[in-house]
Amino acid sequence: MRKYFAILAAVVALVAMSAPAWAQAEAPGSSFTVIGRLWTDFGYQHKSEELATNQYGLTMKGKKRDSYTTNFVNVNANSYWGAKWTSGDKSTGAHAEFAILSKESQTEQVLLRYAYGWWKMGNCKLTAGHTDGLFGSLFAAPGSLLGTSNSSKILFLRWGYLYSGRLPQVRFEYTSPVGLFSIALAQADAEQIVGTESLLYGTSQIGSSQAYFSWPRVDLAYALRLGGFMAIPGFSISQVRYDGVSSGRDDSVINWVAQLPMTYEIAGFGVKAQIYYGQNIDCEWGQTSTGTLGGQPQSIPVWYGGKVEDTKQLGATIELSYTIDNIKPLIAFGYVDSSNDNWKKVGYTDDNYQRWALMGAVNYKINQYFTVQPEVAYYNYGDRMSSTLNNVSRLVNGSSLSNDYGSEWLFGVAFLFVF
């Protein structure tokens, strides 16, 4: 019953915010717009036997579990309902937006996506609230649409594409004749819960301590457009400090990432590409729970022997497409490579881990309000990294579980209604 009250509360809140805007919309030049997107996924998810088993490769009855394929019909988590208001002189505005989703077991939810205001003066713009920004934007993300609510898969996030996330921030932008500069001060680690045992391997060596941020996360970005080419190089950095750590031990962790997303369009042909490199990516820019990959290692620090060893990560994506009228076929590839010299000391079989993904789709815009996209995507989770899993006896009926961690297929159709 609580989920229905949550949905009702969100609707009431949006209407309440709309009331003064309706009144102001009567003033000459001011505007108020209700916006929305209804996004439904229909498809199938196939997991290999490695992803379908427990740590011993057995079911509860002692038999080896096979690969499986399951159907899903979800109201995608990227569905939303919101409103935008702009003052008559176009100097000030606001945007509020709620996510709407419904998936397995009738788990309907309403979640905050955006809640911010902005003010412009000349070439300068100030934004404050819960939002994303120029750094880590999605403009160069591959167009993979299936699986958000069912498999936490979309746009190759965590599979080679880095997104800044939507989080509380104060952002300043300056537009010049040659590009757009942006600097944002954001709530560090806003998508995670930071505490004594958060986002660190080997936390038992820290002792009793309190995690805190001594300064906000800093996001820098610069957008440059030359004809059909556009690039937004960016850099982001944050720090987590630990109070109460024993003398002689590291008491802070630095997270940073440099990113270069690019797009190019000419005569219907399009290319989207991004490359990023940084350390402790999942502490700030992971977008999903660090447990999404199961027993595979995350891009978070290792605390061992009183010292912090940062996890380095390289990620890249590329998408090729060709638009013919309202039909756009596309193919995309994503790759992630992570490494940490201390992984073996905390239970992994190697100090290096790779995973990759491949996707093909056809985006068909039936009209400006309705789009369908048939899609197939393959996700390879790489080699099994847990020494605990590799050292146990996994012989079942004379065969052993593969050293591969497994793979996943998603295939189906996404239906999008936009208003």
Side-chain angles (χ1 to χ4, degrees):
M1 182 63 70
R2 286 182 297 179
K3 63 189 176 187
Y4 298 109
F5 283 115
I7 294 173
L8 180 61
V11 172
V12 171
L14 187 59
V15 171
M17 289 187 295
S18 304
W22 287 331
Q24 298 223 20
E26 297 175 359
S30 62
S31 63
F32 173 77
T33 305
V34 174
I35 58 175
R37 177 172 64 195
L38 300 178
W39 181 342
T40 300
D41 290 341
F42 172 84
Y44 289 85
Q45 177 188 30
H46 174 84
K47 286 191 174 184
S48 65
E49 62 179 8
E50 294 86 0
L51 292 174
T53 57
N54 60 22
Q55 65 174 343
Y56 299 106
L58 306 174
T59 65
M60 292 300 292
K61 295 183 178 180
K63 295 181 179 179
K64 187 176 180 181
R65 184 176 298 175
D66 294 326
S67 62
Y68 71 90
T69 302
T70 185
N71 168 257
F72 59 88
V73 184
N74 299 149
V75 173
N76 192 291
N78 284 276
S79 299
Y80 62 78
W81 183 34
K84 292 183 178 181
W85 168 80
T86 305
S87 64
D89 60 3
K90 311 301 181 184
S91 68
T92 313
H95 179 191
E97 188 173 296
F98 297 97
I100 307 168
L101 66 145
S102 175
K103 53 181 181 178
E104 297 170 345
S105 304
Q106 298 186 359
T107 52
E108 295 88 355
Q109 296 182 53
V110 174
L111 305 170
L112 177 67
R113 283 171 56 90
Y114 291 99
Y116 68 90
W118 54 267
W119 173 66
K120 285 184 178 180
M121 184 178 66
N123 292 336
C124 300
K125 181 179 181 181
L126 178 68
T127 300
H130 185 91
T131 182
D132 48 16
L134 196 60
F135 168 79
S137 70
L138 294 173
F139 91 103
S144 176
L145 302 182
L146 278 183
T148 302
S149 296
N150 194 73
S151 189
S152 298
K153 304 287 195 308
I154 188 174
L155 305 179
F156 280 9
L157 302 183
R158 289 176 58 81
W159 289 85
Y161 196 84
L162 184 136
Y163 172 49
S164 67
R166 292 180 290 268
L167 66 169
Q169 62 185 269
V170 176
R171 187 173 73 248
F172 172 79
E173 296 175 353
Y174 176 76
T175 303
S176 71
V178 293
L180 172 64
F181 170 77
S182 171
I183 179 171
L185 302 179
Q187 173 58 58
D189 210 20
E191 305 301 329
Q192 306 284 357
I193 299 174
V194 175
T196 302
E197 297 184 0
S198 173
L199 301 179
L200 283 170
Y201 291 123
T203 51
S204 60
Q205 299 192 31
I206 297 177
S208 178
S209 62
Q210 173 63 50
Y212 66 95
F213 303 103
S214 53
W215 40 273
R217 189 178 102 180
V218 181
D219 293 349
L220 300 170
Y222 186 79
L224 175 66
R225 181 185 291 276
L226 297 171
F229 174 79
M230 184 172 182
I232 307 181
F235 179 80
S236 182
I237 187 170
S238 71
Q239 181 187 51
V240 184
R241 298 194 65 90
Y242 291 86
D243 190 18
V245 177
S246 302
S247 177
R249 296 176 180 268
D250 290 343
D251 62 356
S252 67
V253 172
I254 295 288
N255 314 304
W256 64 266
V257 65
Q259 176 196 42
L260 179 59
M262 302 168 287
T263 63
Y264 181 67
E265 297 181 3
I266 183 171
F269 178 73
V271 180
K272 293 181 179 180
Q274 183 207 236
I275 186 169
Y276 71 82
Y277 181 78
Q279 66 183 32
N280 310 327
I281 301 297
D282 288 333
C283 291
E284 280 289 350
W285 308 278
Q287 304 314 312
T288 57
S289 166
T290 54
T292 298
L293 299 177
Q296 299 294 76
Q298 312 299 307
S299 181
I300 62 179
V302 174
W303 196 307
Y304 195 86
K307 301 297 180 182
V308 170
E309 181 71 25
D310 300 301
T311 297
K312 302 298 192 295
Q313 186 174 96
L314 170 71
T317 59
I318 184 168
E319 178 192 279
L320 304 178
S321 66
Y322 187 75
T323 302
I324 309 170
D325 294 328
N326 56 343
I327 299 176
K328 182 171 73 173
L330 54 98
I331 185 171
F333 175 77
Y335 176 78
V336 177
D337 185 303
S338 306
S339 62
N340 191 302
D341 292 339
N342 279 344
W343 271 348
K344 288 184 179 180
K345 298 176 182 178
V346 291
Y348 290 99
T349 59
D350 203 343
D351 291 334
N352 186 262
Y353 167 58
Q354 299 93 26
R355 62 182 183 269
W356 58 274
L358 182 65
M359 179 274 297
V362 177
N363 186 277
Y364 179 31
K365 184 172 289 187
I366 295 176
N367 57 43
Q368 62 178 322
Y369 307 108
F370 179 41
T371 298
V372 297
Q373 178 167 305
E375 178 181 324
V376 58
Y378 174 77
Y379 297 87
N380 188 297
Y381 286 77
D383 292 335
R384 189 179 297 272
M385 293 286 288
S386 172
S387 60
T388 302
L389 302 189
N390 284 334
N391 290 337
V392 299
S393 173
R394 289 175 285 129
L395 291 175
V396 182
N397 297 328
S399 62
S400 62
L401 193 64
S402 169
N403 283 329
D404 291 337
Y405 194 75
S407 60
E408 178 181 356
W409 286 89
L410 290 171
F411 47 98
V413 182
F415 301 88
L416 290 84
F417 298 87
V418 179
F419 60 90

